Amino acid sequence: MMKQLFPIRHVMGYLASLVLSAAALTVLYADLSDSANIVILLITALIQASLQLFLFMHIGENTETKKELYLNLAYALFVGLVTIFGTLFIFVWGWYA
Amino acid sequence: MDFERFKVHGEPLIYGAMISIALATIGIIIGLTYFKKWGYLWREWLTTVDHKRIGVMYILAALLMLFRGGVDAMMMRLQTAAPEMKFLDAQHYNEVFTTHGLIMILFMAMPFIIGLMNVIVPLQIGARDVAFPRLNAVSFWLFFFGAMLLNISFVIGGSPDAGWSAYFPLASLEFSPTVGNNYYSLALQISGIGTLLTGVNFIVTILKMRAPGMKLMKMPMFIWSALLTNVIIVFAFPVLTVALALMMFDRLFGSQFFTMSNGGMDMLWANLFWVWGHPEVYIVILPAFGIYSEIIATFSKKNLYGYTSMVFSMVIISLLSFLVWAHHFYTMGQGAMVNGFFSITTMAIAVPTGVKIFNWLFTLRKGRITFTTPMLYTLAFIPIFTIGGVTGVMLAMASADYQYHNTMFLVAHFHYVLIPGAVFAVIAGFHYWFPKVFGFRLNDRLGRHAFWWIAISFNVTFFPLFLLGLMGMTRRTYTYSAETGFGPLNSLSFVGAVGLCIGFVILVYNIYWSTRYMPKDTNGDPWDGRTLEWATNSPIPAYNFAIVPKVQTRDAFWTSKVDNIPLFEEKITKIHMPSNTGKPFIMGVIFFIFGFSMVFSLWIPAILAAVGIVIVMATMSFDRDHGFYISAEEVIATEKKLRGETV
């Protein structure tokens, strides 16, 4: 009974999130090259994001709301990327030199 | 403990504010005790999850904040009415214009609009409540206590004083050492979480709870505007949340995100602020477009011209709103390429907005127009907003903006878009939907009286500011010398502000007068309306619709009246309702304590309050609440009573 009730998947997911955050932190403490750092950050971020999406945000659930979920993700991606690349555009690439 | 930092010293005005806050609080407590209304207040309002009551509380809070922000505005106009005025000192003036901006945008315009959405959205889509009634209460109380936290800053510790945009480095600990900007980061954070939850709640409500038959393209225009607004809220507010958190870290914990050294970047604050801030402008303006669309259709006795183009123009505006933010800081130092890009995206917004303006005009064309109070505000909106829009395009030209930037021209521009675009809209919506909520109309003669005062005085107040801006008067200057020649136009502007005041006094008097003398509406449809909210009784019963309507056309209620298409076909059955809960209110109170402790770096109470918040949230998620049922007999009896039949 207790075994069925215990949300083992979620606890594991939570622990995995913590481990991934710690792994990302190595960028600060280990003395690696910039490109290695970026690779570490990208990989941990990707795993982290998919962990959140599948485990906690139920993206894999087969329901009639699938369309809304993906539309939502697309919009979030749009806003996120616009913010990041827009900021880079303003402060780095397009900065008045 | 050092009590000195809680005190605000100096002026008779601040002592006056302290005394008036204390007197008002004592008055409310004595009044509630004397009339034995504590239980009523708790049962019927503080613990309610009913979307209509939450909406009414939002609107009441917004009216209160309109008064507070209006007093701020009057003080500013008085201070600048003549050269070398000695009414406010520089510090006090800084605090006043900062809180005026914050309160008017975040604690007046937004809650007023969210209040109207709360009341009307479920009714217009034929639903019995929002998707998550309890979450709705959480939203309201977080907003409310966030607003209260900002309001007490004036008398405890000092208000934020770095402008409503709180640009770094001015807003940093180094240059603003008082707690004012701590209040900024925490009060906005708390109410911002509430707004974010509202966004989630209303998207789900609109997507999932529409009456059978109401396809997306059959939704009333106000629902479309509410949907898009909430989409913008959900995607824009996280940016503010993050930016405010970073600000709080900088100010309270010594991090260096927005500093000028140690790898910090002060301009990043301005950037992040406007990534949120520009969509925010559309959050307050899109619902206004929805309200106007409803009012124009109703009082022209025509269906809305160009429904599909209206929807698409709003979708395009909502997307473009995320692509224009850098136009708020053309002069910050980015190159011509960047400014050119943001110039073009900004001007592009004028296109869908123009489409909407023409659609409204074509709706009016050959309509049978009745000039009621809400319609007057709507008709005044079109030309005034167009002036605001055209000056917006002027400001959008980056090279020209180097002249206008941070002058009174800009101040005039955004008041010309925000007042007709948001304030007129909520006042129009207030008059329009008032009979739905309270069962009687506001007096039209007094309403029109207030309208003319407000519309004319608005132009007298703000048009001179365009000229002052072109003459070179910068915004946020607290005084100027007579030689500048700014005196006469500023005096004229002050005269206008007094007129606006008179207009709002008449508006409030109208509420009092109408409550006493206006006759009750009995059929629930005083304006000969077109959409579903007019198909229920007024005042609306707790369950909204005795029978869930079946929708076949766009103006569902109108076609049901004209073409005799039946809306309500099924029989009355028992209705499932959510139960009230006090937890959202309690959580709001604890959030307030948390915010206050954080502002003053009182760590132990802050930690205790944070633990308290987690405990309340945990108990809420383990609550087993199955709601309750209103029996069919009770529904039938209520319906008869509301229709004026004898039971």
Side-chain angles (χ1 to χ4, degrees):
Chain A
M1 184 60 188
M2 213 43 218
K3 208 171 175 183
Q4 284 167 345
L5 278 176
F6 190 72
I8 185 75
R9 274 166 55 88
H10 294 94
V11 174
M12 291 308 286
Y14 178 64
L15 290 178
S17 298
L18 290 180
V19 171
L20 283 167
S21 305
L25 216 63
T26 54
V27 169
L28 269 187
Y29 295 105
D31 205 16
L32 297 169
S33 68
D34 279 354
S35 45
N37 282 339
I38 291 289
V39 169
I40 292 176
L41 285 179
L42 274 178
I43 291 173
T44 48
L46 268 177
I47 303 175
Q48 184 82 267
S50 41
L51 205 73
Q52 299 291 329
L53 280 176
F54 283 97
L55 216 52
F56 298 111
M57 294 159 87
H58 312 283
I59 194 82
E61 266 180 21
N62 220 349
T63 55
E64 77 274 29
T65 55
K66 231 180 172 94
K67 201 178 80 195
E68 279 90 341
L69 276 175
Y70 282 105
L71 203 65
N72 191 2
L73 267 187
Y75 205 161
L77 221 57
F78 167 75
V79 175
L81 292 177
V82 161
T83 308
I84 293 166
F85 286 101
T87 306
L88 286 171
F89 180 45
I90 294 167
F91 289 109
V92 183
W93 305 320
W95 194 253
Y96 177 75
Chain B
M1 196 162 47
D2 175 21
F3 284 101
E4 199 54 29
R5 63 207 178 109
F6 292 107
K7 288 188 196 151
V8 180
H9 288 291
E11 294 195 34
L13 274 174
I14 294 179
Y15 295 126
M18 285 181 194
I19 293 166
S20 60
I21 288 176
L23 283 180
T25 315
I26 294 168
I28 291 169
I29 291 171
I30 290 177
L32 284 170
T33 315
Y34 183 77
F35 293 107
K36 298 196 176 62
K37 290 286 184 198
W38 283 106
Y40 163 81
L41 185 70
W42 177 256
R43 279 190 309 274
E44 302 288 320
W45 295 96
L46 300 189
T47 61
T48 189
V49 293
D50 183 337
H51 70 96
K52 301 172 285 288
R53 296 196 167 200
I54 289 175
V56 169
M57 288 195 291
Y58 263 116
I59 292 169
L60 274 176
L63 284 171
L64 212 67
M65 291 294 109
L66 178 69
F67 174 74
R68 160 80 212 267
V71 170
D72 284 348
M74 288 307 293
M75 291 201 285
M76 281 191 283
R77 283 288 106 217
L78 180 60
Q79 167 60 26
T80 51
E84 317 272 5
M85 280 285 274
K86 295 280 186 292
F87 177 60
L88 302 172
D89 61 24
Q91 173 61 23
H92 196 172
Y93 189 81
N94 288 350
E95 294 184 14
V96 167
F97 72 66
T98 303
T99 44
H100 169 76
L102 284 174
I103 283 178
M104 285 303 201
I105 298 263
L106 288 148
F107 301 131
M108 191 284 287
M110 287 244 303
F112 213 134
I113 274 161
I114 292 176
L116 287 174
M117 287 200 297
N118 257 294
V119 175
I120 296 307
V121 165
L123 293 174
Q124 275 197 340
I125 62 175
R128 293 220 163 103
D129 207 321
V130 293
F132 309 113
R134 220 175 225 231
L135 190 70
N136 204 12
V138 173
S139 290
F140 173 74
W141 289 112
L142 288 186
F143 145 72
F144 181 80
F145 283 106
M148 289 303 109
L149 188 61
L150 190 82
N151 271 283
I152 61 160
S153 69
F154 198 57
V155 290
I156 305 176
S159 285
D161 54 2
W164 87 284
S165 44
Y167 277 5
F168 279 77
L170 178 59
S172 68
L173 203 54
E174 192 184 350
F175 297 106
S176 297
T178 67
V179 293
N181 283 291
N182 297 353
Y183 272 116
Y184 180 104
S185 65
L186 282 140
L188 264 59
Q189 188 70 287
I190 292 171
S191 63
I193 297 168
T195 310
L196 192 55
L197 298 177
T198 302
V200 174
N201 207 343
F202 275 89
I203 291 177
V204 179
T205 306
I206 295 172
L207 289 181
K208 301 300 275 182
M209 313 254 305
R210 294 189 310 272
M214 188 183 275
K215 297 263 174 13
L216 280 178
M217 289 309 271
K218 283 182 185 164
M219 297 196 302
M221 197 49 65
F222 181 63
I223 300 298
W224 261 111
S225 72
L227 175 64
L228 291 166
T229 303
N230 285 296
V231 169
I232 302 178
I233 286 179
V234 166
F235 291 105
F237 264 76
V239 181
L240 179 74
T241 307
V242 171
L244 286 172
L246 299 182
M247 178 188 196
M248 186 186 76
F249 286 146
D250 265 20
R251 292 191 52 91
L252 294 179
F253 305 122
S255 66
Q256 308 278 327
F257 292 107
F258 303 128
T259 55
M260 290 182 293
S261 51
N262 299 327
M265 170 76 141
D266 49 343
M267 286 176 284
L268 195 58
W269 166 265
N271 184 61
L272 290 177
F273 181 85
W274 289 114
V275 168
W276 160 79
H278 201 84
E280 164 68 18
V281 176
Y282 289 90
I283 291 169
V284 293
I285 278 191
L286 282 183
F289 290 171
I291 295 170
Y292 288 137
S293 302
E294 300 293 333
I295 289 174
I296 285 186
T298 303
F299 295 112
S300 305
K301 290 269 178 296
K302 282 175 69 186
N303 58 342
L304 197 63
Y305 183 91
Y307 179 93
T308 320
S309 63
M310 281 296 218
V311 172
F312 275 98
S313 59
M314 279 201 292
V315 172
I316 292 166
I317 290 174
S318 76
L319 282 171
L320 281 177
S321 73
F322 284 97
L323 295 171
V324 298
W325 76 91
H327 71 207
H328 294 273
F329 46 82
Y330 280 141
T331 56
M332 208 160 73
Q334 64 271 31
M337 177 69 184
V338 176
N339 281 351
F341 175 83
F342 284 99
S343 237
I344 291 166
T345 52
T346 305
M347 290 185 208
I349 289 193
V351 178
T353 317
V355 169
K356 299 188 74 67
I357 299 268
F358 280 109
N359 278 337
W360 287 318
L361 293 178
F362 282 126
T363 311
L364 290 168
R365 187 171 170 263
K366 290 190 175 171
R368 274 193 287 129
I369 300 172
T370 37
F371 293 96
T372 55
T373 313
M375 188 62 170
L376 283 175
Y377 281 104
T378 309
L379 292 176
F381 151 79
I382 295 175
I384 299 177
F385 187 79
T386 306
I387 298 176
V390 170
T391 51
V393 177
M394 289 169 72
L395 284 158
M397 294 183 278
S399 39
D401 184 64
Y402 271 75
Q403 287 299 316
Y404 313 132
H405 188 78
N406 273 355
T407 64
M408 292 309 258
F409 188 86
L410 169 79
V411 176
H413 155 72
F414 69 67
H415 284 91
Y416 259 83
V417 281
L418 280 171
I419 291 186
V423 180
F424 281 16
V426 292
I427 298 176
F430 182 75
H431 282 83
Y432 181 58
W433 283 309
F434 192 89
K436 185 78 302 201
V437 179
F438 295 102
F440 60 89
R441 271 189 271 191
L442 292 172
N443 180 281
D444 212 45
R445 199 180 55 83
L446 279 171
R448 271 179 285 154
H449 223 70
F451 162 77
W452 286 112
W453 275 101
I454 289 173
I456 293 170
S457 308
F458 163 78
N459 285 292
V460 177
T461 312
F462 292 103
F463 202 83
L465 303 192
F466 281 125
L467 306 174
L468 281 169
L470 294 178
M471 284 162 69
M473 185 177 177
T474 52
R475 73 194 289 204
R476 295 170 178 170
T477 30
Y478 88 104
T479 194
Y480 50 88
S481 63
E483 292 80 61
T484 54
F486 299 154
L489 284 169
N490 272 306
S491 310
L492 181 62
S493 176
F494 176 67
V495 172
V498 173
L500 271 173
C501 242
I502 295 171
F504 280 105
V505 168
I506 299 173
L507 199 154
V508 172
Y509 174 72
N510 190 9
I511 300 173
Y512 162 79
W513 191 91
S514 307
T515 312
R516 292 198 60 173
Y517 302 113
M518 284 301 274
K520 288 264 167 212
D521 274 327
T522 43
N523 69 347
D525 182 24
W527 309 113
D528 200 7
R530 312 178 70 83
T531 39
L532 283 179
E533 76 268 31
W534 306 109
T536 70
N537 295 302
S538 314
I540 324 146
Y543 48 79
N544 292 357
F545 296 93
I547 305 162
V548 173
K550 275 212 170 34
V551 176
Q552 292 176 20
T553 51
R554 256 176 210 161
D555 292 330
F557 184 49
W558 180 258
T559 43
S560 84
K561 287 190 287 191
V562 175
D563 304 331
N564 281 321
I565 300 171
L567 271 176
F568 305 105
E569 284 180 313
E570 277 153 48
K571 285 180 63 163
I572 292 179
T573 50
K574 63 177 181 176
I575 294 172
H576 184 219
M577 299 293 293
S579 1
N580 286 358
T581 167
K583 292 198 181 89
F585 177 77
I586 294 167
M587 191 154 103
V589 172
I590 305 177
F591 255 105
F592 180 84
I593 297 167
F594 172 75
F596 186 82
S597 313
M598 289 292 279
V599 166
F600 286 96
S601 311
L602 305 168
W603 305 125
I604 291 164
I607 291 167
L608 289 177
V611 171
I613 292 167
V614 174
I615 291 173
V616 178
M617 284 202 280
T619 54
M620 275 175 97
S621 58
F622 284 107
D623 255 356
R624 279 189 179 275
D625 171 31
H626 299 292
F628 64 97
Y629 283 95
I630 303 177
S631 68
E633 297 78 49
E634 203 185 326
V635 174
I636 293 166
T638 315
E639 289 290 300
K640 276 188 177 160
K641 201 172 133 213
L642 285 169
R643 266 185 252 120
E645 297 167 33
T646 45
V647 186

